[in-house]
Amino acid sequence: MRKLAKTFKALSDETRLRILNILLERECCVCELMQVLDLTQSRTSRHLITLCDAGFLKFRRQGLWAMYSIDWESMDKYHIDLAGIVREALKDNQTAILDRQKLATTEKIGLTVCSATGSKNGCRN
Amino acid sequence: MRKLAKTFKALSDETRLRILNILLERECCVCELMQVLDLTQSRTSRHLITLCDAGFLKFRRQGLWAMYSIDWESMDKYHIDLAGIVREALKDNQTAILDRQKLATTEKIGLTVCSATGSKNGCRN
DNA sequence: TGATTGTATTCGTTTATCCGCATGCAGTAA
DNA sequence: TTACTGCATGCGGATAAACGAATACAATCA
């Protein structure tokens, strides 16, 4: 019961839903999520850890980057159902659409630019 | 997006999940839920209102009693899916099973007994 | 080795949630 | 009307969540 409540709690924050929305598109590192969602680094990292602890995400290190993605293999049935509900519910949501669009453009910009430009949103200025 | 987060937040509390578990069995008044789940009156009432605001429950007055039940008619698709997930997830949960069993016996006891016995859990002693 | 970069974590503050207690309100009945 | 009963709500305290800023840590590279 406590675990179920915790699972729902992980989904009860708008920022975490926005993160899930992005990760439902593709695997991302913390830095990319910061850029796309315009969040600070600690905030992004913490929400990702929350989603990990709740069993939605998995983590792998690739060099300097911590890559997060939906943990489809290890999720049990109701986690998968919940991820499906989130995807469905955010399909036509304006914020979610904009985030996904920004993700698409950010793909082309890449990470090095982010740290080189000294953007106030990303990767330490 | 905010609405979706609010929906999940309503499900992110163990007490509210226990309440939903009971209401998935049948319509109840506040007093019955207090007895079955061993909760104070204000606590029960507030959680019910939270679930109402989130769109899961409906309310009707029947004399002195406020009857709460799952609002199947007005719920949208993902509310219904979520209610299904909760039911499924709590099917084999020990606490949930015990609560449902207690509901079955409480049915036979009724309300008047509750207020007459001056039980410390229910209906003003 | 030391510098750099991406990420996690600690700290302190602000805000939200949960709860019991007491009170107020609505419906019923005498 | 008054009394009673079921329920909602205001209040204050305790606990937890969310956050930015700063710092610590880890992997890479010069």
Side-chain angles (χ1 to χ4, degrees):
Chain A
M1 182 89 88
R2 183 161 306 176
K3 182 167 172 289
L4 184 61
K6 182 179 175 180
T7 303
F8 284 124
K9 184 159 302 195
L11 301 176
S12 72
D13 179 278
E14 226 174 325
T15 304
R16 285 195 288 272
L17 289 176
R18 292 178 70 203
I19 289 176
L20 263 188
N21 175 55
I22 295 300
L23 293 181
L24 283 166
E25 296 291 305
R26 65 167 175 86
E27 185 184 52
C28 285
C29 68
V30 180
C31 200
E32 287 176 296
L33 290 164
M34 291 169 60
Q35 289 182 82
V36 173
L37 302 179
D38 199 5
L39 304 172
T40 64
Q41 188 266 319
S42 65
R43 188 176 172 189
T44 311
S45 179
R46 261 188 298 241
H47 282 305
L48 283 167
I49 290 168
T50 301
L51 286 169
C52 256
D53 288 346
F56 287 103
L57 304 185
K58 67 181 174 187
F59 163 93
R60 72 180 175 92
R61 270 216 166 261
Q62 188 179 35
L64 278 176
W65 294 277
M67 307 297 293
Y68 286 91
S69 56
I70 310 284
D71 190 8
W72 294 111
E73 297 79 21
S74 302
M75 286 199 294
D76 51 30
K77 183 181 178 313
Y78 69 84
H79 275 82
I80 293 175
D81 289 346
L82 287 172
I85 288 176
V86 170
R87 167 174 269 156
E88 189 62 26
L90 295 185
K91 206 170 85 177
D92 302 320
N93 177 277
Q94 200 52 42
T95 306
I97 292 172
L98 289 174
D99 286 345
R100 290 194 296 268
Q101 286 174 353
K102 190 164 178 187
L103 173 68
T105 65
T106 303
E107 283 186 272
K108 295 162 195 161
I109 294 174
L111 291 174
T112 48
V113 177
C114 158
S115 52
T117 54
S119 150
K120 75 164 195 287
N121 303 325
C123 299
R124 183 176 303 174
N125 42 5
Chain B
M1 181 88 86
R2 184 163 306 178
K3 183 165 172 289
L4 183 62
K6 182 178 176 180
T7 303
F8 284 123
K9 185 159 302 196
L11 302 177
S12 71
D13 180 277
E14 228 174 324
T15 304
R16 284 194 290 272
L17 289 176
R18 291 179 70 202
I19 290 176
L20 264 188
N21 175 54
I22 295 301
L23 294 181
L24 282 166
E25 295 291 304
R26 65 169 176 83
E27 184 184 54
C28 286
C29 68
V30 180
C31 200
E32 287 176 295
L33 290 165
M34 290 169 58
Q35 291 181 82
V36 174
L37 302 180
D38 198 7
L39 303 173
T40 64
Q41 188 267 318
S42 64
R43 189 176 172 186
T44 311
S45 177
R46 262 190 288 247
H47 281 305
L48 283 166
I49 290 168
T50 301
L51 286 169
C52 254
D53 288 346
F56 287 102
L57 304 184
K58 65 181 176 187
F59 163 93
R60 73 183 174 89
R61 271 218 166 258
Q62 187 179 36
L64 278 177
W65 295 277
M67 306 298 292
Y68 285 92
S69 56
I70 310 283
D71 191 7
W72 296 110
E73 297 79 20
S74 303
M75 288 200 291
D76 50 31
K77 183 182 178 309
Y78 70 83
H79 275 82
I80 293 175
D81 290 345
L82 286 173
I85 287 177
V86 170
R87 167 174 269 158
E88 188 63 24
L90 295 185
K91 206 170 85 177
D92 302 320
N93 178 276
Q94 200 51 43
T95 306
I97 292 172
L98 289 174
D99 286 345
R100 290 195 296 268
Q101 286 174 355
K102 191 165 178 186
L103 174 69
T105 67
T106 302
E107 282 186 274
K108 297 160 193 162
I109 295 174
L111 291 174
T112 48
V113 178
C114 159
S115 52
T117 53
S119 150
K120 74 165 194 285
N121 305 324
C123 302
R124 182 174 306 172
N125 42 4

